[in-house]
mmCIF file of all heavy atoms in Angstrom:
data_model
loop_
_atom_site.group_PDB
_atom_site.id
_atom_site.type_symbol
_atom_site.label_atom_id
_atom_site.label_comp_id
_atom_site.label_asym_id
_atom_site.label_seq_id
_atom_site.Cartn_x
_atom_site.Cartn_y
_atom_site.Cartn_z
ATOM 1 N N LEU A 25 70.713 96.020 52.371
ATOM 2 C CA LEU A 25 70.405 97.211 53.143
ATOM 3 C C LEU A 25 71.117 97.136 54.481
ATOM 4 O O LEU A 25 70.878 96.211 55.269
ATOM 5 C CB LEU A 25 68.893 97.343 53.342
ATOM 6 C CG LEU A 25 68.049 97.428 52.056
ATOM 7 C CD1 LEU A 25 66.578 97.649 52.405
ATOM 8 C CD2 LEU A 25 68.557 98.534 51.148
ATOM 9 N N VAL A 26 71.995 98.089 54.728
ATOM 10 C CA VAL A 26 72.794 98.095 55.956
ATOM 11 C C VAL A 26 71.942 98.556 57.136
ATOM 12 O O VAL A 26 71.940 97.945 58.199
ATOM 13 C CB VAL A 26 74.023 99.006 55.788
ATOM 14 C CG1 VAL A 26 74.832 99.058 57.092
ATOM 15 C CG2 VAL A 26 74.884 98.539 54.626
ATOM 16 N N CYS A 27 71.203 99.648 56.946
ATOM 17 C CA CYS A 27 70.325 100.171 57.993
ATOM 18 C C CYS A 27 69.433 101.248 57.398
ATOM 19 O O CYS A 27 69.652 101.698 56.265
ATOM 20 C CB CYS A 27 71.131 100.751 59.162
ATOM 21 S SG CYS A 27 72.031 102.267 58.732
ATOM 22 N N GLU A 28 68.433 101.638 58.169
ATOM 23 C CA GLU A 28 67.607 102.773 57.762
ATOM 24 C C GLU A 28 68.216 104.034 58.360
ATOM 25 O O GLU A 28 68.293 104.185 59.580
ATOM 26 C CB GLU A 28 66.163 102.590 58.241
ATOM 27 C CG GLU A 28 65.208 103.629 57.666
ATOM 28 C CD GLU A 28 63.753 103.350 58.007
ATOM 29 O OE1 GLU A 28 63.489 102.766 59.083
ATOM 30 O OE2 GLU A 28 62.877 103.717 57.195
ATOM 31 N N ALA A 29 68.658 104.921 57.504
ATOM 32 C CA ALA A 29 69.335 106.127 57.968
ATOM 33 C C ALA A 29 68.354 107.184 58.449
ATOM 34 O O ALA A 29 68.629 107.922 59.403
ATOM 35 C CB ALA A 29 70.199 106.704 56.844
ATOM 36 N N GLU A 30 67.202 107.279 57.788
ATOM 37 C CA GLU A 30 66.203 108.284 58.140
ATOM 38 C C GLU A 30 64.824 107.723 57.802
ATOM 39 O O GLU A 30 64.522 107.478 56.644
ATOM 40 C CB GLU A 30 66.449 109.587 57.367
ATOM 41 C CG GLU A 30 65.363 110.631 57.498
ATOM 42 C CD GLU A 30 65.091 111.020 58.937
ATOM 43 O OE1 GLU A 30 66.022 111.500 59.608
ATOM 44 O OE2 GLU A 30 63.940 110.816 59.395
ATOM 45 N N PRO A 31 63.976 107.505 58.810
ATOM 46 C CA PRO A 31 62.678 106.864 58.547
ATOM 47 C C PRO A 31 61.589 107.804 58.038
ATOM 48 O O PRO A 31 60.580 107.354 57.516
ATOM 49 C CB PRO A 31 62.287 106.302 59.917
ATOM 50 C CG PRO A 31 62.933 107.246 60.885
ATOM 51 C CD PRO A 31 64.228 107.671 60.251
ATOM 52 N N ASN A 32 61.776 109.098 58.199
ATOM 53 C CA ASN A 32 60.654 110.006 57.921
ATOM 54 C C ASN A 32 61.128 111.292 57.252
ATOM 55 O O ASN A 32 61.226 112.342 57.889
ATOM 56 C CB ASN A 32 59.910 110.327 59.214
ATOM 57 C CG ASN A 32 58.662 111.156 58.975
ATOM 58 O OD1 ASN A 32 58.104 111.164 57.883
ATOM 59 N ND2 ASN A 32 58.241 111.878 60.005
ATOM 60 N N VAL A 33 61.408 111.202 55.971
ATOM 61 C CA VAL A 33 61.690 112.401 55.189
ATOM 62 C C VAL A 33 60.367 112.922 54.640
ATOM 63 O O VAL A 33 59.607 112.176 54.026
ATOM 64 C CB VAL A 33 62.659 112.100 54.024
ATOM 65 C CG1 VAL A 33 62.896 113.354 53.185
ATOM 66 C CG2 VAL A 33 63.973 111.563 54.554
ATOM 67 N N LYS A 34 60.087 114.187 54.862
ATOM 68 C CA LYS A 34 58.817 114.773 54.426
ATOM 69 C C LYS A 34 58.937 115.307 52.994
ATOM 70 O O LYS A 34 59.948 115.917 52.640
ATOM 71 C CB LYS A 34 58.412 115.902 55.367
ATOM 72 C CG LYS A 34 58.178 115.460 56.803
ATOM 73 C CD LYS A 34 57.865 116.620 57.710
ATOM 74 C CE LYS A 34 59.089 117.487 58.002
ATOM 75 N NZ LYS A 34 60.102 116.792 58.814
ATOM 76 N N ILE A 35 57.908 115.056 52.194
ATOM 77 C CA ILE A 35 57.789 115.694 50.886
ATOM 78 C C ILE A 35 56.872 116.882 51.075
ATOM 79 O O ILE A 35 55.717 116.730 51.488
ATOM 80 C CB ILE A 35 57.206 114.740 49.829
ATOM 81 C CG1 ILE A 35 58.012 113.449 49.757
ATOM 82 C CG2 ILE A 35 57.181 115.426 48.458
ATOM 83 C CD1 ILE A 35 57.389 112.386 48.872
ATOM 84 N N LEU A 36 57.371 118.078 50.810
ATOM 85 C CA LEU A 36 56.624 119.299 51.089
ATOM 86 C C LEU A 36 56.355 120.093 49.811
ATOM 87 O O LEU A 36 57.208 120.161 48.918
ATOM 88 C CB LEU A 36 57.395 120.189 52.074
ATOM 89 C CG LEU A 36 57.717 119.587 53.443
ATOM 90 C CD1 LEU A 36 58.526 120.587 54.259
ATOM 91 C CD2 LEU A 36 56.453 119.197 54.191
ATOM 92 N N PHE A 37 55.156 120.675 49.749
ATOM 93 C CA PHE A 37 54.850 121.681 48.738
ATOM 94 C C PHE A 37 55.049 123.015 49.423
ATOM 95 O O PHE A 37 54.443 123.274 50.474
ATOM 96 C CB PHE A 37 53.412 121.537 48.241
ATOM 97 C CG PHE A 37 53.014 122.597 47.247
ATOM 98 C CD1 PHE A 37 53.458 122.544 45.941
ATOM 99 C CD2 PHE A 37 52.188 123.645 47.630
ATOM 100 C CE1 PHE A 37 53.094 123.516 45.014
ATOM 101 C CE2 PHE A 37 51.817 124.619 46.718
ATOM 102 C CZ PHE A 37 52.266 124.553 45.405
ATOM 103 N N ALA A 38 55.897 123.864 48.876
ATOM 104 C CA ALA A 38 56.290 125.072 49.604
ATOM 105 C C ALA A 38 56.257 126.314 48.724
ATOM 106 O O ALA A 38 56.431 126.257 47.500
ATOM 107 C CB ALA A 38 57.702 124.889 50.170
ATOM 108 N N CYS A 39 56.027 127.436 49.387
ATOM 109 C CA CYS A 39 56.165 128.753 48.774
ATOM 110 C C CYS A 39 56.643 129.697 49.876
ATOM 111 O O CYS A 39 56.678 129.323 51.052
ATOM 112 C CB CYS A 39 54.834 129.240 48.193
ATOM 113 S SG CYS A 39 53.567 129.587 49.447
ATOM 114 N N LEU A 40 57.037 130.885 49.514
ATOM 115 C CA LEU A 40 57.382 131.863 50.536
ATOM 116 C C LEU A 40 56.134 132.215 51.341
ATOM 117 O O LEU A 40 55.053 132.412 50.779
ATOM 118 C CB LEU A 40 57.953 133.126 49.896
ATOM 119 C CG LEU A 40 59.385 133.048 49.367
ATOM 120 C CD1 LEU A 40 59.755 134.356 48.657
ATOM 121 C CD2 LEU A 40 60.376 132.765 50.489
ATOM 122 N N ALA A 41 56.283 132.309 52.645
ATOM 123 C CA ALA A 41 55.134 132.638 53.504
ATOM 124 C C ALA A 41 54.533 133.989 53.125
ATOM 125 O O ALA A 41 53.320 134.180 53.218
ATOM 126 C CB ALA A 41 55.571 132.641 54.966
ATOM 127 N N THR A 42 55.366 134.901 52.648
ATOM 128 C CA THR A 42 54.881 136.224 52.275
ATOM 129 C C THR A 42 54.039 136.194 51.007
ATOM 130 O O THR A 42 53.355 137.172 50.695
ATOM 131 C CB THR A 42 56.065 137.187 52.068
ATOM 132 O OG1 THR A 42 56.976 136.615 51.113
ATOM 133 C CG2 THR A 42 56.783 137.445 53.371
ATOM 134 N N ARG A 43 54.056 135.063 50.264
ATOM 135 C CA ARG A 43 53.296 134.967 49.020
ATOM 136 C C ARG A 43 52.164 133.938 49.120
ATOM 137 O O ARG A 43 51.522 133.627 48.120
ATOM 138 C CB ARG A 43 54.212 134.606 47.860
ATOM 139 C CG ARG A 43 55.323 135.616 47.581
ATOM 140 C CD ARG A 43 55.914 135.381 46.207
ATOM 141 N NE ARG A 43 54.895 135.514 45.183
ATOM 142 C CZ ARG A 43 54.981 134.938 43.973
ATOM 143 N NH1 ARG A 43 56.026 134.185 43.682
ATOM 144 N NH2 ARG A 43 54.018 135.092 43.092
ATOM 145 N N ALA A 44 51.907 133.444 50.312
ATOM 146 C CA ALA A 44 50.930 132.361 50.484
ATOM 147 C C ALA A 44 49.513 132.778 50.135
ATOM 148 O O ALA A 44 48.668 131.925 49.846
ATOM 149 C CB ALA A 44 50.972 131.839 51.922
ATOM 150 N N THR A 45 49.208 134.091 50.146
ATOM 151 C CA THR A 45 47.857 134.552 49.825
ATOM 152 C C THR A 45 47.696 134.926 48.360
ATOM 153 O O THR A 45 46.598 135.321 47.946
ATOM 154 C CB THR A 45 47.479 135.761 50.697
ATOM 155 O OG1 THR A 45 48.441 136.809 50.501
ATOM 156 C CG2 THR A 45 47.441 135.379 52.169
ATOM 157 N N ASP A 46 48.747 134.811 47.571
ATOM 158 C CA ASP A 46 48.623 135.043 46.131
ATOM 159 C C ASP A 46 47.556 134.100 45.577
ATOM 160 O O ASP A 46 47.577 132.897 45.863
ATOM 161 C CB ASP A 46 49.972 134.779 45.453
ATOM 162 C CG ASP A 46 49.896 134.925 43.947
ATOM 163 O OD1 ASP A 46 49.423 133.973 43.281
ATOM 164 O OD2 ASP A 46 50.325 135.955 43.428
ATOM 165 N N PRO A 47 46.582 134.595 44.793
ATOM 166 C CA PRO A 47 45.454 133.741 44.369
ATOM 167 C C PRO A 47 45.861 132.447 43.680
ATOM 168 O O PRO A 47 45.292 131.385 43.975
ATOM 169 C CB PRO A 47 44.667 134.655 43.417
ATOM 170 C CG PRO A 47 44.983 136.036 43.889
ATOM 171 C CD PRO A 47 46.405 135.985 44.345
ATOM 172 N N VAL A 48 46.828 132.503 42.780
ATOM 173 C CA VAL A 48 47.234 131.291 42.055
ATOM 174 C C VAL A 48 47.948 130.324 42.992
ATOM 175 O O VAL A 48 47.682 129.115 42.992
ATOM 176 C CB VAL A 48 48.125 131.648 40.851
ATOM 177 C CG1 VAL A 48 48.634 130.377 40.169
ATOM 178 C CG2 VAL A 48 47.353 132.497 39.845
ATOM 179 N N ILE A 49 48.868 130.836 43.800
ATOM 180 C CA ILE A 49 49.600 129.985 44.740
ATOM 181 C C ILE A 49 48.653 129.399 45.777
ATOM 182 O O ILE A 49 48.733 128.212 46.115
ATOM 183 C CB ILE A 49 50.727 130.782 45.428
ATOM 184 C CG1 ILE A 49 51.763 131.243 44.401
ATOM 185 C CG2 ILE A 49 51.401 129.940 46.512
ATOM 186 C CD1 ILE A 49 52.849 132.139 44.970
ATOM 187 N N ARG A 50 47.721 130.229 46.270
ATOM 188 C CA ARG A 50 46.763 129.742 47.271
ATOM 189 C C ARG A 50 45.889 128.629 46.700
ATOM 190 O O ARG A 50 45.603 127.644 47.390
ATOM 191 C CB ARG A 50 45.879 130.895 47.755
ATOM 192 C CG ARG A 50 44.895 130.492 48.867
ATOM 193 C CD ARG A 50 44.094 131.660 49.364
ATOM 194 N NE ARG A 50 43.222 132.178 48.334
ATOM 195 C CZ ARG A 50 43.222 133.454 47.927
ATOM 196 N NH1 ARG A 50 44.050 134.318 48.465
ATOM 197 N NH2 ARG A 50 42.397 133.854 46.982
#
């Protein structure tokens, strides 16, 4: 291992903000 290039990559669950209130997605 040469170095740590990025210590904090986020794993995100995402949807369009305009669809966030859809019952199944919510």
Side-chain angles (χ1 to χ4, degrees):
L25 301 184
V26 178
C27 69
E28 189 173 30
E30 172 57 60
N32 185 23
V33 178
K34 298 176 287 292
I35 306 172
L36 301 178
F37 177 76
C39 67
L40 285 175
T42 54
R43 299 196 60 204
T45 57
D46 177 280
V48 175
I49 296 175
R50 183 177 65 236

